[in-house]
Structure formats: structure tokens, C-alpha cells
Amino acid sequence: MSQDTPQPNAEPTFSQKIQAAVKQLYQQANTCVAENKLEEAITCYRQVTVLVPSWADAYQKWGNLLVKAGRLEEAIGAYQQAIKLNPEDSWSYNSLGGIFIKLERWEDAVPVCQQAIQLDPNFFWAYNNLGQALSQQEQWEDAASVYQKASQINSTFFWTYNNWGEALIQLERWSEAVTVYQKAIEIDPNFCWAYNHLGDALRHLKRWSDAVPVYQKAAEINPNFFWTHSNLADTLVYLKRFDQAIPVYQSAIKLNPNSPQTYYKLAKCLQKVKRVDEAIAYFQKVLELKPDFTTAQNKLQELQKKSDDLESKAPQISHNLEPIDWLKYYPKSGDSVSYMMPKPTPHNKTIKPKPGSFLSLHVP
């Protein structure tokens, strides 16, 4: 059934006067809708149902406008009457299912959407509504199958893939979820949640390196979402890229300064890179927020003990040394230090032996 408002084809039993009045009301309703005068358009369709109470299409269009106006309970009655008058109209079933979904009446929505699909097996929107109702009831297997069918009918609708991926994650079918979220991102590359879910699936597959740029893109799109930063930092830790994880945890803390677990993870990273004093400070912050955090208590005590041991083993430098009398190492006044220096022998000078010396003896 078309979503455009059709011009009425009056039944043969209608008088010409009723036909003219119905046609005029339809035209007036179209004009009111174009001018966003919903209440006036609603009145026009209600008048049509009074003139021609057996006309299912008028009830269908009346229900659509009641939904736009937020009058959902009234819309239920309009759609139910349309179905009663034309039980083969898949659009009326789907529209009624949509109302039940808006009202979070999930159990009521399921059979109505299923009936729409039975009447039209290629009714794309009915599959999406049914998938949503099933997901809300945590019937993940059925929801995944429904979304898969919807994607086969229309492969370009982002929310089909996003919701299908969510069902697959709930089922822990990680590899399938990766493929589905990659398709969702291909359709709409600006929805940060698709990147977050894709990153989660990659992490469960231990594809840490692949997950990092995915989380980074999510943070780029929405830098104010705590879990993006937290998950990115966790992934960097798995890769032992502690220096890179530290500023990411710090960004997460700025967004949520009351998460003891995040402070704990940051402290452990600082410990890994030997920034002990900072690690101690963050372990202390953990215990401020959660005094019974036993693991943090143990880590803090361990670090403090190591710090104390290192301090006690450090060489002690005395500041009470006796002054050195450097003057005693220098010649006294009037003395010369030249006597300590070797005397040079002049070149080309004959050494004359003294009489009676060893050198003056004649050797035959």
C-alpha cells in the first residue's frame, strides 16, 4: 500500500454528494499536512470516517497523523479499525506494530509485525520493527535472523546492520559481528557507536592491533564518551604500549573522575614505566574512592615498601667532614719548589770529570 495519500474512489453506493464531500476533505487534509497543521488534518480524516465508515484507507491515514501528533492510544484504535475493514493490508499491521514499539509493548508488537510479513514477505520495514521488538525481549537468535533477512531486502539501511550487529554481540558471534559492523560503518562512517561495537568484537577476537584505530576513530567522532577512552587504553595495555595508554586513561578520568577502576589501571601503567611516585599517588586515589579495594591496597603497600627499601640502601653523604689544611701541601714561605724539578743537561757540553772522580781514572 502506498504511503502517499490516495484520492478516494467512491464506492458505487455513495451518492455524488458524499463523493464530492470526501474528495474535498482529502484535498483539505493534504493541504493541512503540507502546512503542518496536523490537528486540522486529523479532523478532516475523522470526518471522512463519519461519511464513509467502511473506508479502511481513511482510518490508516487518520492513524498516521495521530502518531505524528503524539496521540498514540487513539492511533491504535484507528489502525485496528483499518485492519478490521481490510485484513489484507500489511501497512496497517506494520503501523500498529510501530505504535506498540513506541509504547514499549514488545509482546504485542511481535505478532502484528509477523502478520505484516506474512502478508508481504518482502516488507522491509516490518522486518526492522519485528527485529526491534525481539531484541527488546532479548530473543537474540530470532532478532539476528530477522535483521539478516531485512539486509537481503535492503542492503543500504544503516540501522539494520547496527541492530543486527548488536544481536550478534549478545550471541558472542564475534566474527560475524565484525563483518556486520564494518558494513554499517561503510554506510554511515560517522556513528561512533558502530566503531565502539566493532572495537569490542575485535578485542574479543584478540585482534588488539586492529581494535586500536577503530577506538581512535570513535574517540575522534565523539571525544566525550568515557568508554571509548577506557576501551582504547585497555587495548593498548594488552599490546604493552603503556606509555601510550597513560594519557588515554587520563582522558577517561577527566570524563569520569569517580571511577576507581580507571585510576587503578592508570596506576598499574605508571608502575610498569617506573614512574613510582605517580603510581603511588593514583593508588592512593583509588583507595579514597573505594577504601575496600584490596588489590589496590596490596599494590600500594608493595610500592611503598620498595620505595622505602631503596631510600634506606642509598649511600649516605656526610655533611660534617673535617676541613682539609691544603696549605701543608705547599712549600713554606721562602722555599722554592724548583728543587723538586729535574735539571736539564745542556746540549753539546763536554762534561769534565773532577780530579779523583771515577771518570778521571785512566783505563789502559
Side-chain angles (χ1 to χ4, degrees):
M1 180 176 180
S2 172
Q3 288 297 284
D4 298 328
T5 303
Q7 295 301 315
N9 297 317
E11 296 179 7
T13 56
F14 294 170
S15 66
Q16 290 185 350
K17 182 177 180 180
I18 290 178
Q19 292 182 43
V22 168
K23 184 175 181 179
Q24 183 179 358
L25 286 168
Y26 260 74
Q27 292 173 343
Q28 186 178 344
N30 289 340
T31 300
C32 291
V33 170
E35 296 175 355
N36 202 30
K37 298 178 180 178
L38 295 182
E39 292 299 330
E40 294 181 25
I42 288 170
T43 299
C44 291
Y45 282 122
R46 184 168 59 244
Q47 290 175 354
V48 172
T49 64
V50 171
L51 289 172
V52 189
S54 61
W55 203 330
D57 183 75
Y59 286 97
Q60 165 72 20
K61 297 298 184 291
W62 184 18
N64 291 345
L65 292 180
L66 288 169
V67 171
K68 287 186 178 181
R71 295 159 60 177
L72 302 183
E73 294 292 346
E74 294 177 68
I76 290 175
Y79 288 134
Q80 287 175 332
Q81 185 63 23
I83 290 170
K84 182 178 180 181
L85 293 171
N86 183 7
E88 301 300 314
D89 179 18
S90 60
W91 270 104
S92 292
Y93 284 101
N94 182 64
S95 299
L96 180 58
I99 294 294
F100 288 141
I101 288 173
K102 287 178 181 293
L103 294 172
E104 299 184 1
R105 292 169 54 178
W106 316 116
E107 292 182 0
D108 292 332
V110 169
V112 175
C113 293
Q114 287 173 332
Q115 182 62 31
I117 291 170
Q118 184 174 341
L119 291 168
D120 182 356
N122 294 314
F123 196 163
F124 172 74
W125 296 109
Y127 283 101
N128 275 280
N129 281 341
L130 176 57
Q132 186 175 352
L134 291 169
S135 296
Q136 290 295 332
Q137 297 179 80
E138 299 184 359
Q139 299 181 35
W140 302 113
E141 286 285 359
D142 292 338
S145 298
V146 167
Y147 284 125
Q148 183 176 15
K149 178 62 178 178
S151 72
Q152 293 169 355
I153 299 171
N154 181 353
S155 61
T156 63
F157 189 60
F158 168 81
W159 288 105
T160 298
Y161 291 93
N162 187 74
N163 297 340
W164 181 12
E166 181 182 358
L168 292 170
I169 280 183
Q170 293 294 334
L171 294 167
E172 299 184 0
R173 290 157 57 177
W174 309 115
S175 295
E176 295 174 71
V178 167
T179 302
V180 170
Y181 276 118
Q182 286 173 333
K183 179 63 176 179
I185 289 170
E186 180 183 329
I187 297 170
D188 182 357
N190 298 309
F191 187 63
C192 72
W193 267 106
Y195 289 94
N196 276 302
H197 288 317
L198 174 57
D200 293 344
L202 289 168
R203 282 206 304 158
H204 278 91
L205 292 170
K206 302 187 185 305
R207 293 170 57 180
W208 315 112
S209 296
D210 293 334
V212 169
V214 173
Y215 283 129
Q216 288 173 331
K217 183 63 177 179
E220 178 186 327
I221 296 171
N222 182 4
N224 298 317
F225 186 58
F226 165 79
W227 285 109
T228 301
H229 297 280
S230 179
N231 292 340
L232 172 57
D234 289 348
T235 306
L236 291 168
V237 167
Y238 279 112
L239 292 169
K240 301 187 184 304
R241 290 156 62 176
F242 303 112
D243 283 319
Q244 295 177 37
I246 287 169
V248 181
Y249 277 131
Q250 290 170 332
S251 296
I253 286 171
K254 288 179 182 178
L255 295 170
N256 182 7
N258 298 312
S259 170
Q261 192 65 34
T262 308
Y263 284 99
Y264 177 76
K265 292 175 182 178
L266 174 56
K268 287 182 64 179
C269 277
L270 290 164
Q271 182 182 1
K272 289 287 187 181
V273 298
K274 311 301 182 184
R275 291 161 61 176
V276 176
D277 290 341
E278 293 173 80
I280 288 174
Y282 278 108
F283 279 129
Q284 289 171 335
K285 183 64 178 178
V286 173
L287 297 174
E288 287 179 22
L289 295 171
K290 188 176 174 58
D292 60 345
F293 202 136
T294 306
T295 310
Q297 290 175 346
N298 295 337
K299 289 287 185 182
L300 178 58
Q301 292 171 0
E302 176 187 334
L303 277 184
Q304 288 177 329
K305 185 177 185 303
K306 286 183 179 179
S307 181
D308 292 342
D309 289 345
L310 288 174
E311 186 174 346
S312 65
K313 292 177 181 178
Q316 300 297 316
I317 300 176
S318 174
H319 298 285
N320 299 315
L321 296 176
E322 294 182 1
I324 299 175
D325 183 8
W326 294 103
L327 292 177
K328 70 182 182 180
Y329 295 100
Y330 289 89
K332 295 180 180 180
S333 178
D335 291 342
S336 173
V337 297
S338 62
Y339 71 89
M340 301 176 62
M341 301 176 63
K343 304 297 187 293
T345 302
H347 293 287
N348 302 322
K349 185 175 181 181
T350 303
I351 301 175
K352 295 181 178 181
K354 293 181 180 181
S357 68
F358 174 78
L359 292 176
S360 65
L361 296 176
H362 174 69
V363 179

